[in-house]
Amino acid sequence: MPAKVGAVKVNNVSSSSIFNIGDVYSMSPVSSAKTFAGGGSFNTGDGIRINLNQSNTYVYDKDIVDQSRSE
């Protein structure tokens, strides 16, 4: 059944989003990210105490491109 769409105002569409008006069969946005962080980086909560003494994060990534971008 066709969609009935009224007035639409779009202020912003970011680079990692999909914007569609009307009927659609399938929408599948794709994104990827690589994050490097040291010990204790992603802790959340109240009253957390972390003692790492010495913490090093070594990153060796010989790939220039990890995933090809297709548009």
Side-chain angles (χ1 to χ4, degrees), residues 3-8 21-23:
K4 294 182 181 181
V5 179
V8 175
I21 296 178
D23 295 338

Side-chain angles (χ1 to χ4, degrees), residues 25-55:
Y25 174 73
S26 176
M27 294 173 43
S28 14
V30 176
S31 68
S32 62
K34 183 186 286 190
T35 303
F36 300 105
S41 296
F42 298 111
N43 294 317
T44 59
D46 296 330
I48 293 177
R49 288 185 289 160
I50 300 166
N51 185 4
L52 297 174
N53 293 333
Q54 293 181 356
S55 176

